Amino acid sequence: MRGASRFVSCVVLFVLGATAGCFREDFMLGAVCGNDAQCGEDQCCSGKRCRPSPAGCDRGAGIDTAYDQAYHACRDDEECIKLGMPHCVHLDGAASGFCADLCQGVEDNCEKHPMSSSLTCLELDSQRHCALQCCSAGCDPDTGQSLCPGQTECPDACPDEMECRTDVCVPEA
């Protein structure tokens, strides 16, 4: 069954012009899933996403816990693929990037960080990526409301070793 779904996925990717993904062993990493059969070989459905097994499989399918490798500092995609996420996202002016999944649907499909559950989808290079939301302008100390445009609630503070840049948490320099 897994082979048939992989074949169909490759045919769809080929039609869309993204053939490189069909020849990578890890092209399903980070995909939204409901069970292990929806992921590639040597992968599992951990939480709501395909992760490398056995290292990323300790949560089990559907378990809503933070993924401790999410938003890890990186230089390139290869570093992130080893952690089970397909992209190293670089914001302009940030010293390094962070590992992230593609944002599929709404922010709630993104992985929580052990120190933050304030999620957002960030559009870069015509793709939406998962990210941790923060407020560069801060919060009103009296009401706890965000002072950032478009935000009502004050998001969680950025995790340790991350800083807030243009309302997104990025690794510190």
Side-chain angles (χ1 to χ4, degrees):
M1 183 67 178
R2 186 181 299 185
S5 67
R6 188 176 185 121
F7 174 76
V8 170
S9 296
C10 286
V11 169
V12 169
L13 286 172
F14 180 76
V15 170
L16 294 175
T19 57
C22 293
F23 301 106
R24 289 185 66 115
E25 192 69 21
D26 49 24
F27 83 100
M28 291 298 293
L29 285 176
V32 174
C33 60
N35 58 56
D36 291 347
Q38 295 172 330
C39 299
E41 292 180 25
D42 298 324
Q43 296 175 29
C44 65
C45 187
S46 178
K48 296 182 251 184
R49 300 283 185 147
C50 295
R51 300 294 180 212
S53 77
C57 301
D58 56 354
R59 293 183 296 168
I63 295 176
D64 192 26
T65 58
Y67 186 49
D68 62 354
Q69 300 298 325
Y71 315 106
H72 192 272
C74 59
R75 291 182 303 273
D76 57 38
D77 287 349
E78 293 302 317
E79 290 180 72
C80 297
I81 288 169
K82 292 175 187 171
L83 299 175
M85 288 160 285
H87 298 283
C88 182
V89 177
H90 291 272
L91 289 182
D92 287 338
S96 61
F98 59 90
C99 294
D101 296 307
L102 288 175
C103 189
Q104 297 177 352
V106 296
E107 291 85 356
D108 287 342
N109 284 333
C110 294
E111 293 282 5
K112 294 176 185 169
H113 186 279
M115 298 175 73
S116 176
S117 59
S118 295
L119 306 171
T120 190
C121 292
L122 174 69
E123 186 151 344
L124 287 174
D125 302 324
S126 301
Q127 290 185 318
R128 294 179 73 217
H129 295 90
C130 293
L132 296 176
Q133 185 178 46
C134 58
C135 180
S136 302
C139 296
D140 184 329
D142 295 329
T143 65
Q145 297 296 304
S146 173
L147 299 176
C148 291
Q151 294 183 25
T152 53
E153 299 286 322
C154 197
D156 294 343
C158 289
D160 294 343
E161 300 179 14
M162 294 185 93
E163 63 184 347
C164 190
R165 184 180 296 254
T166 61
D167 300 338
V168 174
C169 296
V170 297
E172 291 177 339

